[in-house]
Amino acid sequence: MLPGMLILLVVFFVGQCTYWANIHYHGLTGWWVEWLGNADAWVGGAASAGWITSSEPNPNGPSIIVLQPYTEGAGAYGHVGVVESGVSAASANANGVSVSSMNWNGGWDQVSYWTFHPGAGVSFIWHP
């Protein structure tokens, strides 16, 4: 591991959703999140870093879901998780998207799986 990679690993607090999304997305794709901040800042951070931002998940591979504050049960800072494989827009809209995340619904430092639905306050980001 390069020294710069170690810095990226520790910029998000262990047990938080941002920590899990960064670590797990990297494990699936080899790409680290390139910005800082709470979940509600991730769409802007992704856009500034040249990542794809969309209202639908990546149909060709993993993506990170970003829930804005108070969207679908998210708290005041929003929430992020990982859609682990490609999902078509039609399937996502009809069935929702299965997401792995950490610190959801009181599960501190626990990975859990939940289904979220595209719509207002929900974005998806991935490295091009």
Side-chain angles (χ1 to χ4, degrees):
M1 181 181 315
L2 298 173
M5 289 182 171
L6 181 59
I7 291 169
L8 287 172
L9 285 173
V10 297
V11 295
F12 300 108
F13 291 108
V14 173
Q16 296 287 5
C17 64
T18 50
Y19 171 82
W20 171 255
N22 184 33
I23 293 291
H24 192 52
Y25 187 79
H26 175 263
L28 293 172
T29 67
W31 295 102
W32 294 107
V33 168
E34 304 172 40
W35 53 89
L36 299 174
N38 293 317
D40 59 353
W42 277 41
V43 173
S48 293
W51 286 38
I52 295 168
T53 63
S54 176
S55 61
E56 303 292 344
N58 181 357
N60 300 312
S63 55
I64 296 172
I65 188 171
V66 182
L67 303 175
Q68 291 303 311
Y70 308 111
T71 299
E72 296 192 39
Y77 299 107
H79 190 72
V80 291
V82 178
V83 180
E84 302 194 18
S85 60
V87 179
S88 72
S91 176
N93 288 316
N95 306 313
V97 178
S98 180
V99 172
S100 69
S101 66
M102 188 171 274
N103 198 23
W104 177 253
N105 210 15
W108 172 253
D109 200 24
Q110 301 292 315
V111 175
S112 62
Y113 294 83
W114 206 263
T115 300
F116 297 103
H117 299 274
V122 178
S123 300
F124 298 88
I125 60 177
W126 63 91
H127 193 276

